[in-house]
Amino acid sequence: MAGSSGYVICCSSAVMIKSVLHSNSSLALNRQVRPDLLKDNSFASISSRTPRDLGMIYTSQVRSASGIHRLPDEILSSIFFNAIQVYDNDDPSEAAYFPLTISHTCSRWRKVSISTGSLWTSIRLCLPHSSNQLTYLKTWLSRSKFYSLDILLDFRDEDWGWEEDDHLFTHDAANEIISIILPHVKRWRHIEFFTDTWVPIHAFLNLTQDVVDLPVLKSVALSRCNAYFARKGECFKPVEMRRAIPLFGGAHLPALQDLSLVGVHVDWRRSILVNLLELELKFHAYDVVPDLGEFVVILKSCPDLERLSIVGWGPRLDATFTEPKRVMSMVKLTRFVFGFVDVEYAVMLLSLFRLPSICELELEDVSAIVDPAGPSDATSILNLLSLSSTNSDSNSCFFPLYQIECLELRSIRSSEAVFAQFLHYFNSLEKIDLSDVDSALLSSLGPQRFSPGPEPKIEVPHKVRSRRPSFVSSLSTSLAPCPQLVDLTCRRVDMSLLSSVIFARAEAGSGVRPLQLVQLELDDDANESDDGASTTSGLSGRDRTSLLKTGVDLIINHA
């Protein structure tokens, strides 16, 4: 990047500045920033640090390293911006606070940084809410000048006791913060708001009703983080706040590309949800989801949609589900995330989709985390997806599993035979991620022979059967499924069985490529295996040796 004075801003300069920022990380990481540090005419002394102060760091690291002190202000400003971008790639949640560190390194850096509005565009607020936090917010809004804003409001409390009216982040606190950022709404580029309770979200939806112009808003994420409302039979609470409110009062959002609503419902008919590239609808109570007609309108208004996530419930399919042949065709959708709490509903909903360009699929049985009974038998879902991939006619191939490259399965239960049939359609699969899966799924990944047989008997709702494609018995003749699979990630699985399957796939004659990368995410508790070998959460020394003998790159992460 070249400046007007002919100087070239090198990446090494940005990295060097980052090291200076990191040397004073304690200042940046202090969420409750002292008000005196935020005054434009104040330069706080932090002589208690080692080395004695940041002036010494400036002299030893900055001046001797690159002569950066000789650069014009505009070049120094650009280096600061690039340094923060480098840090943002490493740790976005912390990068927002580092302009403050820059402004307290030396008097010149303070002058340049405060006058550089692009450094102050990332705003991060979290608990505990305080007056100092509001001072920080106002300071960042002022110093960011006319630049677009990226705002994260995360007021979740790990110690919250699940009582809706007993939370550290209150209605008044939400009103106070939203009222401060609302006059800058034309500069909002990304807004994320995470809460445990409904009251703050309700305040946000209410206070933004009169917004008429959001010209640069690209992404919105509103989350009431309570997955239990997605349980079968659960209704929205608090009942007195159930009334749906249109997103931003139904204003047109010309730049909006990504929308995530997690446990947050809006007036689906009056909200202008068009031309999205990514849509997430997660963990809603069934009584506040859109009806099928409203849902179809949203999808048809987003012809370029590339990523869709439905976790818990999608549209209501009770009284409105009258046309079994209606297909929601999304020709540009490449990633589909589907989490279900009711198998019969899931089959009915999936039967409405046609995703000819899909290359990433994620399936999760959400009942594993919200229902005391645990995960359900997903056989009918897996069979429906298998059948929808068998027809050679692209117009009838609703879920072309053979072109999927990345697959993620969480808490999915079925028989080994059903898993084997399902996985044999994934001829292009290169990466699979498995969480909380049983031995049936792991075993189905190993070498085994299949003989083409008669059409399986699959229990699906009557309304779905009329549009089910005819079964074509075309199982692969490979000895193991997923012949292109090279990348495997696992957590909460039988490690001994997993190592056996991986070893078997690596043997000559398995008919598949050997795995190249295996990543295991293990609980951080040690125990002893039956053979006396040292083990970590089920991975014995023997299993580790077996995995390494296959030639894989083994990465172990501890939770």
Side-chain angles (χ1 to χ4, degrees):
M1 177 177 176
S4 58
S5 301
Y7 290 92
V8 176
I9 300 173
C10 300
C11 184
S12 59
S13 298
V15 174
M16 183 275 296
I17 295 295
K18 176 187 170 184
S19 70
V20 175
L21 303 185
H22 195 67
S23 69
N24 190 32
S25 59
S26 63
L27 177 62
L29 298 180
N30 182 9
R31 296 298 192 277
Q32 298 303 313
V33 179
R34 300 201 323 265
D36 60 295
L37 298 182
L38 299 174
K39 295 178 181 179
D40 288 356
N41 61 354
S42 168
F43 180 69
S45 171
I46 46 177
S47 56
S48 59
R49 292 190 49 80
T50 300
R52 294 177 191 168
D53 54 39
L54 287 180
M56 183 177 281
I57 296 174
Y58 173 76
T59 300
S60 62
Q61 291 187 2
V62 179
R63 183 171 298 178
S64 62
S66 64
I68 196 172
H69 61 289
R70 294 193 298 268
L71 292 175
D73 287 354
E74 64 271 18
I75 302 301
L76 189 60
S77 172
S78 295
I79 292 177
F80 290 162
F81 178 78
N82 280 274
I84 290 179
Q85 296 300 109
V86 171
Y87 204 98
D88 189 55
N89 292 333
D90 295 340
D91 195 343
S93 64
E94 307 299 346
Y97 295 89
F98 276 97
L100 187 62
T101 308
I102 293 176
S103 68
H104 288 80
T105 301
C106 68
S107 58
R108 186 186 175 216
W109 283 28
R110 180 172 184 76
K111 174 187 174 183
V112 172
S113 62
I114 289 177
S115 65
T116 305
S118 58
L119 300 182
W120 307 87
T121 60
S122 293
I123 295 174
R124 302 288 186 270
L125 296 181
C126 60
L127 290 175
H129 177 61
S130 68
S131 58
N132 286 355
Q133 196 176 57
L134 298 181
T135 302
Y136 151 78
L137 175 59
K138 293 174 182 177
T139 300
W140 256 247
L141 290 172
S142 173
R143 292 180 181 178
S144 60
K145 299 178 181 178
F146 55 84
Y147 287 92
S148 299
L149 298 170
D150 302 331
I151 303 173
L152 170 60
L153 310 176
D154 188 351
F155 290 99
R156 294 172 290 183
D157 180 9
E158 293 182 355
D159 298 323
W160 176 54
W162 299 96
E163 292 294 331
E164 185 74 21
D165 56 354
D166 184 20
H167 196 279
L168 292 175
F169 191 58
T170 64
H171 177 273
D172 290 343
N175 271 357
E176 194 169 23
I177 290 174
I178 297 167
S179 297
I180 292 174
I181 64 175
L182 196 56
H184 303 268
V185 69
K186 288 187 178 182
R187 296 198 286 137
W188 292 5
R189 178 171 52 195
H190 304 288
I191 178 76
E192 298 176 272
F193 193 9
F194 301 135
T195 70
D196 295 313
T197 61
W198 180 249
V199 168
I201 295 293
H202 189 265
F204 179 88
L205 293 173
N206 262 327
L207 290 174
T208 56
Q209 282 303 287
D210 296 329
V211 170
V212 295
D213 189 14
L214 296 101
V216 298
L217 185 62
K218 290 186 176 181
S219 70
V220 176
L222 302 178
S223 299
R224 180 201 191 178
C225 304
N226 193 336
Y228 290 95
F229 282 104
R231 286 181 296 185
K232 189 175 182 180
E234 192 69 42
C235 294
F236 176 84
K237 297 174 185 176
V239 176
E240 64 273 15
M241 293 185 176
R242 181 182 179 276
R243 183 183 65 85
I245 302 173
L247 185 64
F248 296 111
H252 180 54
L253 308 172
L256 187 63
Q257 296 180 345
D258 303 335
L259 175 63
S260 175
L261 298 176
V262 179
V264 175
H265 66 285
V266 297
D267 187 324
W268 307 105
R269 194 175 298 275
R270 294 170 58 198
S271 299
I272 309 299
L273 308 180
V274 300
N275 299 323
L276 299 174
L277 298 182
E278 180 170 7
L279 175 62
E280 290 186 342
L281 301 177
K282 298 182 176 181
F283 301 118
H284 292 91
Y286 190 74
D287 60 334
V288 294
V289 298
D291 62 36
L292 182 59
E294 293 168 337
F295 187 67
V296 170
V297 168
I298 292 173
L299 294 187
K300 287 186 176 180
S301 300
C302 304
D304 296 324
L305 193 68
E306 297 175 355
R307 301 171 296 278
L308 174 64
S309 298
I310 300 174
V311 178
W313 303 101
R316 290 195 301 276
L317 298 182
D318 40 16
T320 61
F321 188 58
T322 58
E323 180 51 71
K325 294 185 178 180
R326 183 186 305 182
V327 175
M328 290 177 281
S329 182
M330 290 173 281
V331 297
K332 294 190 177 181
L333 195 83
T334 58
R335 176 173 173 78
F336 183 48
V337 177
F338 186 67
F340 57 91
V341 294
D342 181 86
V343 172
E344 183 178 359
Y345 169 88
V347 172
M348 293 170 67
L349 180 60
L350 290 174
S351 71
L352 299 177
F353 285 104
R354 176 176 172 267
L355 310 178
S357 302
I358 187 172
C359 61
E360 297 181 40
L361 175 64
E362 180 179 332
L363 294 177
E364 178 179 9
D365 188 344
V366 180
S367 61
I369 60 175
V370 301
D371 191 334
S376 307
D377 184 351
T379 295
S380 57
I381 295 175
L382 300 178
N383 280 335
L384 177 69
L385 293 174
S386 297
L387 290 174
S388 71
S389 187
T390 59
N391 202 313
S392 59
D393 181 1
S394 60
N395 292 323
S396 301
C397 187
F398 305 109
F399 287 88
L401 304 182
Y402 53 81
Q403 68 186 30
I404 290 178
E405 298 175 355
C406 299
L407 174 66
E408 188 166 343
L409 301 176
R410 299 174 180 267
S411 305
I412 304 297
R413 300 289 188 266
S414 189
S415 67
E416 183 176 343
V418 172
F419 279 129
Q421 174 183 272
F422 175 69
L423 291 174
H424 263 75
Y425 292 102
F426 289 83
N427 292 328
S428 300
L429 189 69
E430 297 181 356
K431 180 177 182 179
I432 190 169
D433 189 313
L434 304 176
S435 297
D436 185 30
V437 297
D438 59 16
S439 58
L441 176 52
L442 291 179
S443 297
S444 67
L445 282 169
Q448 49 194 295
R449 292 187 178 278
F450 292 89
S451 299
E455 177 179 351
K457 294 182 179 180
I458 301 174
E459 293 298 326
V460 294
H462 175 73
K463 293 178 180 179
V464 177
R465 294 176 188 169
S466 61
R467 55 144 282 190
R468 189 183 71 191
S470 60
F471 179 80
V472 178
S473 185
S474 59
L475 295 179
S476 170
T477 57
S478 298
L479 296 179
C482 312
Q484 302 302 317
L485 182 64
V486 294
D487 189 334
L488 171 65
T489 299
C490 290
R491 61 189 67 82
R492 297 188 299 279
V493 302
D494 184 331
M495 293 297 170
S496 180
L497 177 57
L498 176 67
S499 63
S500 298
V501 169
I502 294 175
F503 188 82
R505 288 181 65 95
E507 289 184 324
S510 66
V512 299
R513 296 173 63 186
L515 286 165
Q516 298 176 8
L517 176 63
V518 174
Q519 300 186 65
L520 305 179
E521 298 185 9
L522 307 177
D523 294 331
D524 200 12
D525 58 320
N527 52 68
E528 291 293 321
S529 62
D530 293 339
D531 59 8
S534 175
T535 176
T536 303
S537 298
L539 182 66
S540 67
R542 181 179 299 173
D543 293 337
R544 180 195 291 264
T545 300
S546 177
L547 288 173
L548 293 175
K549 283 183 178 180
T550 66
V552 301
D553 290 330
L554 180 62
I555 299 176
I556 299 177
N557 299 313
H558 296 280

